[in-house]
């Protein structure tokens, strides 16, 4: 009985692992399996997409910074917001 349960748990684990592997590989390939949408390409090699800017701003929002980082961070966020605003017009 225990051997049977361990075999079933192993099968479930392998199934989940394979699904996660496909998901990760699809993200690294630039698309999600089963999703026909393409990822928006940057306008130039140095310019971020709207989604990339949203991710960065969201991460900044959830993070705590020390005093000496506040001014450079503020300047960076202003630039990101300006770029995002220009791209979404």
């Amino acid at each position: 009985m225990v051997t049977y349960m361990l075999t079933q748990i192993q099968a479930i684990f392998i199934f989940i692992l394979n699904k996660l592997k496909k998901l990760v590989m699809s993200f690294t390939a630039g698309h999600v399996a089963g999703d026909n949408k393409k990822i928006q390409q940057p306008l130039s090699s140095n310019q971020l997409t709207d989604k990339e800017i949203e991710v960065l701003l969201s991460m900044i929002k959830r993070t705590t910074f020390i005093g000496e980082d506040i001014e450079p961070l503020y300047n960076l966020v202003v630039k990101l917001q300006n770029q995002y605003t220009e791209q979404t017009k």
Side-chain angles (χ1 to χ4, degrees), residues 22-68:
K22 286 181 184 178
L23 182 64
V24 169
M25 293 305 288
S26 66
F27 277 120
T28 58
H31 70 281
V32 177
D35 188 5
N36 293 333
K37 295 180 185 175
K38 291 191 176 186
I39 294 177
Q40 180 185 5
Q41 295 298 320
L43 301 176
S44 73
S45 62
N46 293 325
Q47 196 166 13
L48 301 172
T49 64
D50 298 344
K51 187 66 178 171
E52 290 170 332
I53 294 172
E54 289 174 10
V55 169
L56 285 172
L57 290 173
S58 177
M59 290 171 60
I60 291 169
K61 182 175 92 172
R62 293 188 314 262
T63 308
T64 304
F65 299 94
I66 58 175
E68 64 190 38

Short mmCIF file of all heavy atoms in Angstrom, two decimals, residues 22-68:
data_model
loop_
_atom_site.label_atom_id
_atom_site.label_comp_id
_atom_site.label_asym_id
_atom_site.label_seq_id
_atom_site.Cartn_x
_atom_site.Cartn_y
_atom_site.Cartn_z
N LYS A 22 7.47 23.20 -19.00
CA LYS A 22 6.92 23.75 -20.24
C LYS A 22 6.59 25.23 -20.10
O LYS A 22 6.83 26.02 -21.00
CB LYS A 22 5.66 22.98 -20.65
CG LYS A 22 5.94 21.61 -21.21
CD LYS A 22 4.66 20.92 -21.61
CE LYS A 22 4.93 19.51 -22.08
NZ LYS A 22 3.70 18.80 -22.44
N LEU A 23 6.05 25.60 -18.94
CA LEU A 23 5.71 27.00 -18.71
C LEU A 23 6.95 27.87 -18.70
O LEU A 23 7.00 28.92 -19.35
CB LEU A 23 4.94 27.13 -17.38
CG LEU A 23 4.47 28.53 -17.02
CD1 LEU A 23 3.45 29.01 -18.04
CD2 LEU A 23 3.88 28.53 -15.64
N VAL A 24 7.99 27.44 -17.98
CA VAL A 24 9.23 28.20 -17.92
C VAL A 24 9.88 28.28 -19.28
O VAL A 24 10.34 29.35 -19.71
CB VAL A 24 10.20 27.57 -16.88
CG1 VAL A 24 11.58 28.19 -17.00
CG2 VAL A 24 9.66 27.75 -15.47
N MET A 25 9.90 27.20 -20.01
CA MET A 25 10.51 27.20 -21.34
C MET A 25 9.74 28.10 -22.29
O MET A 25 10.33 28.76 -23.13
CB MET A 25 10.59 25.77 -21.89
CG MET A 25 11.52 24.86 -21.13
SD MET A 25 13.19 25.48 -20.99
CE MET A 25 13.75 25.27 -22.66
N SER A 26 8.42 28.16 -22.16
CA SER A 26 7.65 29.04 -23.04
C SER A 26 7.93 30.50 -22.73
O SER A 26 7.99 31.33 -23.64
CB SER A 26 6.16 28.74 -22.93
OG SER A 26 5.68 29.07 -21.65
N PHE A 27 8.15 30.84 -21.46
CA PHE A 27 8.50 32.21 -21.12
C PHE A 27 9.87 32.57 -21.68
O PHE A 27 10.07 33.66 -22.21
CB PHE A 27 8.49 32.44 -19.61
CG PHE A 27 7.14 32.70 -19.05
CD1 PHE A 27 6.61 31.87 -18.09
CD2 PHE A 27 6.39 33.78 -19.47
CE1 PHE A 27 5.36 32.10 -17.56
CE2 PHE A 27 5.13 34.03 -18.95
CZ PHE A 27 4.61 33.19 -18.00
N THR A 28 10.82 31.67 -21.59
CA THR A 28 12.15 31.97 -22.11
C THR A 28 12.15 32.01 -23.63
O THR A 28 12.99 32.68 -24.23
CB THR A 28 13.20 30.96 -21.61
OG1 THR A 28 12.81 29.65 -22.01
CG2 THR A 28 13.35 31.01 -20.11
N ALA A 29 11.21 31.33 -24.27
CA ALA A 29 11.12 31.35 -25.72
C ALA A 29 10.40 32.60 -26.23
O ALA A 29 10.40 32.89 -27.40
CB ALA A 29 10.38 30.11 -26.21
N GLY A 30 9.77 33.35 -25.32
CA GLY A 30 9.10 34.59 -25.72
C GLY A 30 7.61 34.46 -25.91
O GLY A 30 6.97 35.39 -26.37
N HIS A 31 7.05 33.33 -25.56
CA HIS A 31 5.60 33.18 -25.65
C HIS A 31 5.14 32.11 -24.66
O HIS A 31 5.90 31.28 -24.23
CB HIS A 31 5.17 32.81 -27.06
CG HIS A 31 5.56 31.42 -27.46
ND1 HIS A 31 6.83 31.11 -27.86
CD2 HIS A 31 4.85 30.27 -27.51
CE1 HIS A 31 6.89 29.82 -28.13
NE2 HIS A 31 5.70 29.29 -27.93
N VAL A 32 3.87 32.17 -24.34
CA VAL A 32 3.29 31.18 -23.44
C VAL A 32 2.59 30.14 -24.29
O VAL A 32 1.86 30.48 -25.22
CB VAL A 32 2.29 31.84 -22.46
CG1 VAL A 32 1.63 30.81 -21.58
CG2 VAL A 32 3.00 32.88 -21.62
N ALA A 33 2.81 28.87 -24.00
CA ALA A 33 2.19 27.80 -24.77
C ALA A 33 0.67 27.96 -24.73
O ALA A 33 0.08 28.17 -23.69
CB ALA A 33 2.59 26.45 -24.20
N GLY A 34 0.06 27.91 -25.89
CA GLY A 34 -1.39 28.04 -25.98
C GLY A 34 -1.84 29.48 -26.08
O GLY A 34 -3.00 29.76 -26.24
N ASP A 35 -0.93 30.43 -25.98
CA ASP A 35 -1.27 31.84 -26.06
C ASP A 35 -0.70 32.38 -27.36
O ASP A 35 0.50 32.33 -27.59
CB ASP A 35 -0.66 32.59 -24.86
CG ASP A 35 -1.12 34.03 -24.76
OD1 ASP A 35 -1.99 34.42 -25.57
OD2 ASP A 35 -0.61 34.75 -23.89
N ASN A 36 -1.56 32.89 -28.22
CA ASN A 36 -1.12 33.35 -29.53
C ASN A 36 -0.60 34.78 -29.53
O ASN A 36 -0.18 35.29 -30.56
CB ASN A 36 -2.26 33.23 -30.54
CG ASN A 36 -2.58 31.78 -30.81
OD1 ASN A 36 -1.73 30.91 -30.66
ND2 ASN A 36 -3.82 31.51 -31.17
N LYS A 37 -0.67 35.46 -28.38
CA LYS A 37 -0.17 36.83 -28.30
C LYS A 37 1.35 36.83 -28.31
O LYS A 37 1.98 36.01 -27.66
CB LYS A 37 -0.66 37.51 -27.02
CG LYS A 37 -2.15 37.70 -26.94
CD LYS A 37 -2.50 38.37 -25.65
CE LYS A 37 -4.00 38.49 -25.47
NZ LYS A 37 -4.34 39.03 -24.17
N LYS A 38 1.93 37.78 -29.02
CA LYS A 38 3.38 37.93 -29.01
C LYS A 38 3.75 39.00 -28.00
O LYS A 38 3.00 39.94 -27.78
CB LYS A 38 3.91 38.30 -30.39
CG LYS A 38 3.79 37.18 -31.38
CD LYS A 38 4.55 37.49 -32.63
CE LYS A 38 4.48 36.28 -33.55
NZ LYS A 38 5.31 36.45 -34.71
N ILE A 39 4.93 38.86 -27.42
CA ILE A 39 5.42 39.85 -26.48
C ILE A 39 5.82 41.09 -27.25
O ILE A 39 6.48 41.00 -28.29
CB ILE A 39 6.62 39.29 -25.68
CG1 ILE A 39 6.14 38.13 -24.80
CG2 ILE A 39 7.27 40.36 -24.84
CD1 ILE A 39 7.24 37.47 -24.03
N GLN A 40 5.43 42.26 -26.71
CA GLN A 40 5.76 43.51 -27.37
C GLN A 40 7.27 43.71 -27.36
O GLN A 40 7.91 43.61 -26.33
CB GLN A 40 5.07 44.66 -26.63
CG GLN A 40 5.35 46.01 -27.23
CD GLN A 40 4.74 47.12 -26.41
OE1 GLN A 40 4.19 46.87 -25.35
NE2 GLN A 40 4.85 48.33 -26.88
N GLN A 41 7.83 44.00 -28.52
CA GLN A 41 9.27 44.21 -28.64
C GLN A 41 9.60 45.66 -28.31
O GLN A 41 8.83 46.56 -28.63
CB GLN A 41 9.74 43.87 -30.05
CG GLN A 41 9.57 42.41 -30.40
CD GLN A 41 10.39 41.50 -29.50
OE1 GLN A 41 11.52 41.82 -29.16
NE2 GLN A 41 9.82 40.39 -29.11
N PRO A 42 10.75 45.90 -27.68
CA PRO A 42 11.15 47.27 -27.41
C PRO A 42 11.31 48.06 -28.71
O PRO A 42 11.64 47.50 -29.75
CB PRO A 42 12.50 47.13 -26.71
CG PRO A 42 12.61 45.70 -26.31
CD PRO A 42 11.70 44.93 -27.19
N LEU A 43 11.11 49.37 -28.62
CA LEU A 43 11.25 50.21 -29.79
C LEU A 43 12.70 50.28 -30.24
O LEU A 43 12.99 50.39 -31.41
CB LEU A 43 10.71 51.61 -29.49
CG LEU A 43 9.23 51.64 -29.07
CD1 LEU A 43 8.82 53.05 -28.70
CD2 LEU A 43 8.34 51.10 -30.17
N SER A 44 13.62 50.25 -29.32
CA SER A 44 15.04 50.14 -29.63
C SER A 44 15.66 49.20 -28.61
O SER A 44 15.01 48.79 -27.66
CB SER A 44 15.71 51.52 -29.58
OG SER A 44 15.84 51.94 -28.24
N SER A 45 16.92 48.87 -28.78
CA SER A 45 17.54 47.91 -27.88
C SER A 45 17.66 48.45 -26.45
O SER A 45 17.78 47.69 -25.51
CB SER A 45 18.92 47.52 -28.40
OG SER A 45 19.75 48.67 -28.46
N ASN A 46 17.61 49.77 -26.28
CA ASN A 46 17.73 50.36 -24.95
C ASN A 46 16.41 50.80 -24.36
O ASN A 46 16.37 51.32 -23.25
CB ASN A 46 18.68 51.58 -25.00
CG ASN A 46 20.09 51.16 -25.29
OD1 ASN A 46 20.54 50.10 -24.87
ND2 ASN A 46 20.80 51.98 -26.03
N GLN A 47 15.33 50.63 -25.08
CA GLN A 47 14.03 51.10 -24.60
C GLN A 47 13.20 49.92 -24.12
O GLN A 47 13.15 48.87 -24.76
CB GLN A 47 13.29 51.84 -25.71
CG GLN A 47 12.14 52.65 -25.17
CD GLN A 47 11.65 53.63 -26.21
OE1 GLN A 47 12.00 53.55 -27.37
NE2 GLN A 47 10.82 54.55 -25.79
N LEU A 48 12.56 50.09 -22.98
CA LEU A 48 11.76 49.04 -22.36
C LEU A 48 10.35 49.02 -22.93
O LEU A 48 9.83 50.05 -23.33
CB LEU A 48 11.69 49.26 -20.85
CG LEU A 48 13.02 49.29 -20.11
CD1 LEU A 48 12.80 49.72 -18.65
CD2 LEU A 48 13.69 47.95 -20.16
N THR A 49 9.73 47.83 -22.91
CA THR A 49 8.33 47.72 -23.31
C THR A 49 7.45 48.22 -22.18
O THR A 49 7.89 48.38 -21.04
CB THR A 49 7.96 46.27 -23.64
OG1 THR A 49 8.08 45.49 -22.46
CG2 THR A 49 8.83 45.71 -24.74
N ASP A 50 6.17 48.42 -22.49
CA ASP A 50 5.22 48.86 -21.47
C ASP A 50 5.16 47.86 -20.32
O ASP A 50 5.14 48.23 -19.15
CB ASP A 50 3.82 49.01 -22.06
CG ASP A 50 3.76 50.06 -23.15
OD1 ASP A 50 4.70 50.87 -23.25
OD2 ASP A 50 2.77 50.07 -23.90
N LYS A 51 5.12 46.59 -20.66
CA LYS A 51 5.03 45.53 -19.64
C LYS A 51 6.27 45.52 -18.75
O LYS A 51 6.17 45.35 -17.54
CB LYS A 51 4.83 44.17 -20.31
CG LYS A 51 4.56 43.06 -19.35
CD LYS A 51 3.23 43.27 -18.65
CE LYS A 51 2.96 42.12 -17.71
NZ LYS A 51 1.80 42.36 -16.87
N GLU A 52 7.45 45.69 -19.34
CA GLU A 52 8.69 45.72 -18.55
C GLU A 52 8.69 46.89 -17.57
O GLU A 52 9.10 46.74 -16.42
CB GLU A 52 9.90 45.80 -19.48
CG GLU A 52 10.15 44.54 -20.28
CD GLU A 52 11.19 44.72 -21.36
OE1 GLU A 52 11.36 45.84 -21.87
OE2 GLU A 52 11.84 43.71 -21.70
N ILE A 53 8.20 48.04 -18.03
CA ILE A 53 8.13 49.20 -17.15
C ILE A 53 7.15 48.95 -16.02
O ILE A 53 7.43 49.27 -14.86
CB ILE A 53 7.74 50.46 -17.94
CG1 ILE A 53 8.86 50.83 -18.93
CG2 ILE A 53 7.47 51.64 -17.01
CD1 ILE A 53 8.50 51.94 -19.89
N GLU A 54 6.01 48.36 -16.33
CA GLU A 54 5.02 48.04 -15.29
C GLU A 54 5.61 47.11 -14.24
O GLU A 54 5.39 47.30 -13.04
CB GLU A 54 3.78 47.41 -15.92
CG GLU A 54 2.94 48.36 -16.72
CD GLU A 54 1.80 47.67 -17.43
OE1 GLU A 54 1.54 46.48 -17.17
OE2 GLU A 54 1.17 48.33 -18.28
N VAL A 55 6.35 46.11 -14.67
CA VAL A 55 6.97 45.17 -13.73
C VAL A 55 7.97 45.89 -12.84
O VAL A 55 7.98 45.70 -11.62
CB VAL A 55 7.65 44.00 -14.49
CG1 VAL A 55 8.51 43.18 -13.57
CG2 VAL A 55 6.61 43.13 -15.17
N LEU A 56 8.82 46.71 -13.43
CA LEU A 56 9.81 47.44 -12.63
C LEU A 56 9.15 48.38 -11.63
O LEU A 56 9.53 48.42 -10.45
CB LEU A 56 10.73 48.25 -13.55
CG LEU A 56 11.78 47.44 -14.31
CD1 LEU A 56 12.49 48.34 -15.32
CD2 LEU A 56 12.77 46.83 -13.35
N LEU A 57 8.15 49.12 -12.06
CA LEU A 57 7.47 50.05 -11.14
C LEU A 57 6.76 49.29 -10.03
O LEU A 57 6.76 49.72 -8.88
CB LEU A 57 6.50 50.93 -11.91
CG LEU A 57 7.13 51.97 -12.84
CD1 LEU A 57 6.07 52.67 -13.67
CD2 LEU A 57 7.95 52.98 -12.05
N SER A 58 6.19 48.16 -10.35
CA SER A 58 5.53 47.34 -9.33
C SER A 58 6.53 46.81 -8.31
O SER A 58 6.27 46.81 -7.11
CB SER A 58 4.79 46.18 -10.00
OG SER A 58 4.22 45.35 -9.05
N MET A 59 7.70 46.37 -8.78
CA MET A 59 8.73 45.87 -7.87
C MET A 59 9.25 46.98 -6.97
O MET A 59 9.48 46.78 -5.78
CB MET A 59 9.87 45.24 -8.67
CG MET A 59 9.50 43.94 -9.33
SD MET A 59 10.75 43.32 -10.47
CE MET A 59 12.15 43.12 -9.40
N ILE A 60 9.43 48.17 -7.55
CA ILE A 60 9.90 49.31 -6.76
C ILE A 60 8.88 49.66 -5.69
O ILE A 60 9.23 49.96 -4.55
CB ILE A 60 10.19 50.51 -7.68
CG1 ILE A 60 11.42 50.21 -8.54
CG2 ILE A 60 10.39 51.79 -6.88
CD1 ILE A 60 11.64 51.20 -9.67
N LYS A 61 7.60 49.59 -6.05
CA LYS A 61 6.53 49.92 -5.11
C LYS A 61 6.53 49.00 -3.89
O LYS A 61 6.27 49.42 -2.77
CB LYS A 61 5.18 49.84 -5.83
CG LYS A 61 3.99 50.22 -4.97
CD LYS A 61 2.73 50.24 -5.79
CE LYS A 61 2.05 48.90 -5.73
NZ LYS A 61 0.72 48.90 -6.35
N ARG A 62 6.88 47.73 -4.10
CA ARG A 62 6.83 46.75 -3.01
C ARG A 62 8.12 46.66 -2.21
O ARG A 62 8.22 45.83 -1.31
CB ARG A 62 6.51 45.37 -3.60
CG ARG A 62 5.13 45.26 -4.18
CD ARG A 62 4.80 43.82 -4.57
NE ARG A 62 5.86 43.14 -5.29
CZ ARG A 62 5.93 43.00 -6.60
NH1 ARG A 62 5.01 43.54 -7.36
NH2 ARG A 62 6.92 42.35 -7.17
N THR A 63 9.13 47.46 -2.52
CA THR A 63 10.43 47.33 -1.89
C THR A 63 10.70 48.49 -0.95
O THR A 63 10.24 49.60 -1.18
CB THR A 63 11.54 47.27 -2.98
OG1 THR A 63 11.21 46.26 -3.91
CG2 THR A 63 12.89 46.97 -2.38
N THR A 64 11.47 48.23 0.10
CA THR A 64 11.88 49.27 1.05
C THR A 64 13.31 49.67 0.74
O THR A 64 14.17 48.82 0.53
CB THR A 64 11.81 48.73 2.50
OG1 THR A 64 10.48 48.25 2.73
CG2 THR A 64 12.15 49.81 3.49
N PHE A 65 13.55 50.97 0.71
CA PHE A 65 14.87 51.49 0.39
C PHE A 65 15.41 52.31 1.55
O PHE A 65 14.65 52.88 2.33
CB PHE A 65 14.81 52.37 -0.87
CG PHE A 65 14.34 51.63 -2.08
CD1 PHE A 65 13.00 51.62 -2.44
CD2 PHE A 65 15.23 50.90 -2.84
CE1 PHE A 65 12.57 50.92 -3.55
CE2 PHE A 65 14.80 50.19 -3.95
CZ PHE A 65 13.47 50.21 -4.31
N ILE A 66 16.75 52.39 1.63
CA ILE A 66 17.37 53.20 2.67
C ILE A 66 17.53 54.63 2.16
O ILE A 66 17.42 54.89 0.97
CB ILE A 66 18.73 52.61 3.12
CG1 ILE A 66 19.69 52.50 1.94
CG2 ILE A 66 18.53 51.27 3.78
CD1 ILE A 66 21.08 52.04 2.33
N GLY A 67 17.81 55.56 3.05
CA GLY A 67 17.83 56.98 2.75
C GLY A 67 18.69 57.40 1.58
O GLY A 67 18.27 58.21 0.76
N GLU A 68 19.88 56.87 1.47
CA GLU A 68 20.79 57.31 0.42
C GLU A 68 20.33 56.89 -0.97
O GLU A 68 20.79 57.43 -1.97
CB GLU A 68 22.21 56.81 0.67
CG GLU A 68 22.34 55.30 0.64
CD GLU A 68 23.69 54.82 1.12
OE1 GLU A 68 24.23 55.40 2.07
OE2 GLU A 68 24.19 53.86 0.53
#
